[in-house]
Amino acid sequence: MPWRERPEIMAWWALARSDLRIARVAADLIPPELHVACFHAQQSAEKSLKALLEAQHCPIVRTHDLARLLQLLPQGDRPNDDVVDACARLTLLAVGPRYPGPAGPSTEDEARQALRDAACVVAWAEHRLDQHDFPTP
């Protein structure tokens, strides 16, 4: 069954797309909401990976560690280095930007990198989803 016809996958995918949209809008505000952009960029990548895990009938763990989510994927769905690197950068944005202190992003360049990283991960996940006809559980 095509993945776009499976509600359990589409629920994650819709959230991933929404978070990516919110991240882009937040970055484009004047002045930009950098912490919001970075957090939602991370969330879009996380939820796109969870959509892929759902499609593969893999366990979906409650974590913001994107490398851990990648490790849960079957060997044939492991990403290239660009996606792995993007996930490593985005994982740092899961918590830090939401709280005051030095961990949060301080520049628009950092937020723009987070948006590029999120778009990379989401596009990779969509490509992997499109390459399979996943069986229903």
Side-chain angles (χ1 to χ4, degrees), residues 7 22-23 30 34 54 60 67 71 92 103-104 107 113 122 133 137:
I22 289 167
I30 301 174
L34 300 177
E54 181 73 48
I60 297 177
Q71 290 170 350
L92 300 175
T107 68
Q113 181 64 54
V122 170
D133 189 20

Side-chain angles (χ1 to χ4, degrees), residues 6 12 20 30 45 60-61 66 73 87 90 95 106 109 116 133:
R6 291 193 36 210
W12 284 111
L20 187 56
I30 301 174
I60 297 177
V61 296
L66 303 183
L73 291 169
C87 285
L90 287 168
V95 177
S106 58
D109 287 343
R116 285 190 298 274
D133 189 20

Side-chain angles (χ1 to χ4, degrees), residues 39-77:
F39 173 69
H40 284 284
Q42 186 281 339
Q43 286 290 288
S44 69
E46 181 179 322
K47 292 168 187 168
S48 70
L49 294 177
K50 289 180 177 179
L52 186 54
L53 288 167
E54 181 73 48
Q56 297 280 24
H57 306 291
C58 296
I60 297 177
V61 296
R62 289 186 176 206
T63 184
H64 298 302
D65 184 344
L66 303 183
R68 183 167 178 216
L69 294 176
L70 291 175
Q71 290 170 350
L72 296 172
L73 291 169
Q75 195 67 27
D77 274 329

